[in-house]
Amino acid sequence: MATAVRRMRLGQEKKRAVTKVLIVYAHQSSGSFNAAAKDAAVDVLTDQSCTVEVSDLYAIKFKATATAEDITGDVKNADHFRYAEETKLAWEEGKLCADITEEQRKLTQADLIIFQFPMYWFTVPAIMKGWIDRVLTLGYAYTPEKRYSQGLFKDKKAMLSFTTGSQESMFSADGINGDMNVTLWPLQNGILHYCGFQVLAPQIFWAPSHVPSEARSTMLTRWRTRLLGVLEEKPLSFTPSDCFDGEKGFQLKPEVHEKHAAKEYGLTVGIHLGKALPPNNQMKAGV
């Protein structure tokens, strides 16, 4: 009985600990659907006793380009400037510029990060890509040894919440835009999972500018409902790092290949083994 009580208390303490949320927000208009989605997240999560910070990238005029100006003082090699290596040194020496340092502070404190944006050209807007390029610096967000399932942010959760300009059918496996699961792979695997984040299923608002106001209201209601339990959600599935052989070019280990040889689907969207892609691998947890 005592053991059960201790476990319950530990579970309650763990739930209470996940209270800091960072919303990285990229839209210029306060009257946009993205603004409404952002405001809904702030309201619902605050009502759950979360501490919510918003990085409104357009409002703060966040610099989108990763340049030598991101480092205060001299760089190590001005003739052959390499951003990743130079910003790693600057991070270690406390010489990153103030806007990067501030965003890293917010990210360090956060348990959950929500990226709220309109999808531009099948990816994030340039200003949000700039946030990713400049804030997720080598050393701070990843190292060659600490990435993917062993990543530095493995105790944090992250998710994409975005609007599309195209309807859902256009992003299907036989739609003109192609499978949304494939579109999401570079963002969710190549950025979020690469840094170790537990990646929650994306919140996709399909073409809100092309539907009636009632439909937009329904979208926001569903988002609010999801947010009530978002802190307890299971993340998407990715292939663990120890399934790859670092001494052989990080190829999938033979025993992993053999284990999945007779299966209908590949492991993930990107690591598909020449098989059919696992359905909804980048859109639903547990698949």
Side-chain angles (χ1 to χ4, degrees):
M1 180 66 177
T3 300
V5 171
R6 282 196 297 271
R7 286 176 179 171
M8 183 175 68
R9 287 176 177 171
L10 284 172
Q12 291 173 341
E13 289 172 2
K14 185 176 181 181
K15 289 180 181 179
R16 285 197 296 270
V18 185
T19 57
K20 295 183 179 179
V21 181
L22 171 62
I23 301 176
V24 183
Y25 169 65
H27 201 289
Q28 300 177 66
S29 174
S30 60
S32 67
F33 186 91
N34 273 273
K38 177 260 298 179
D39 291 343
V42 172
D43 291 345
V44 174
L45 293 169
T46 300
D47 285 346
Q48 295 183 74
S49 300
C50 293
T51 300
V52 183
E53 280 197 276
V54 177
S55 288
D56 187 337
L57 302 185
Y58 286 104
I60 64 176
K61 295 180 171 59
F62 190 81
K63 185 169 86 75
T65 53
T67 67
E69 296 173 353
D70 294 342
I71 299 168
T72 59
D74 296 331
V75 299
K76 182 178 180 181
N77 189 343
D79 293 330
H80 183 197
F81 180 77
R82 296 188 295 174
Y83 190 85
E85 289 75 8
E86 293 282 4
T87 52
K88 178 179 184 294
L89 289 173
W91 171 70
E92 292 172 343
E93 297 171 0
K95 294 182 178 180
L96 287 173
C97 62
D99 63 340
I100 294 177
T101 301
E102 173 63 6
E103 294 305 306
Q104 289 184 342
R105 177 196 66 78
K106 296 175 187 177
L107 179 54
T108 297
Q109 294 179 353
D111 301 295
L112 169 66
I113 299 87
I114 299 174
F115 294 87
Q116 181 65 56
F117 61 95
M119 178 169 275
Y120 286 0
W121 291 108
F122 295 74
T123 189
V124 297
I127 197 168
M128 182 171 283
K129 183 57 165 61
W131 189 97
I132 292 166
D133 290 344
R134 298 179 64 229
V135 176
L136 302 181
T137 56
L138 175 62
Y140 169 71
Y142 68 95
T143 70
E145 299 77 27
K146 297 289 185 178
R147 52 183 175 171
Y148 291 118
S149 60
Q150 301 301 318
L152 291 168
F153 295 150
K154 62 184 180 182
D155 294 326
K156 299 179 184 293
K157 293 182 178 181
M159 68 178 299
L160 307 179
S161 174
F162 61 93
T163 57
T164 68
S166 300
Q167 60 200 59
E168 184 174 4
S169 61
M170 296 170 70
F171 277 106
S172 61
D174 55 0
I176 193 169
N177 289 344
D179 191 337
M180 178 59 86
N181 289 279
V182 176
T183 299
L184 290 172
W185 179 256
L187 295 172
Q188 295 187 156
N189 178 74
I191 298 173
L192 301 182
H193 179 52
Y194 189 91
C195 293
F197 287 111
Q198 299 173 50
V199 185
L200 302 184
Q203 181 69 26
I204 306 175
F205 301 102
W206 300 104
S209 61
H210 299 298
V211 299
S213 59
E214 294 82 2
R216 291 194 293 274
S217 296
T218 298
M219 289 180 183
L220 289 173
T221 297
R222 290 173 178 170
W223 176 222
R224 285 178 171 274
T225 299
R226 180 184 178 187
L227 286 164
L228 292 172
V230 73
L231 298 177
E232 311 304 322
E233 285 186 9
K234 299 294 184 182
L236 299 173
S237 298
F238 294 91
T239 308
S241 299
D242 59 11
C243 289
F244 301 88
D245 191 336
E247 295 182 357
K248 295 182 179 179
F250 289 94
Q251 293 285 294
L252 206 63
K253 292 178 179 178
E255 56 267 32
V256 181
H257 261 296
E258 293 171 9
K259 182 179 178 180
H260 289 82
K263 295 192 176 181
E264 180 181 1
Y265 300 110
L267 290 167
T268 59
V269 167
I271 305 161
H272 50 68
L273 310 179
K275 299 175 181 288
L277 303 186
N280 292 316
N281 174 252
Q282 291 297 294
M283 296 176 69
K284 293 183 180 180
V287 297

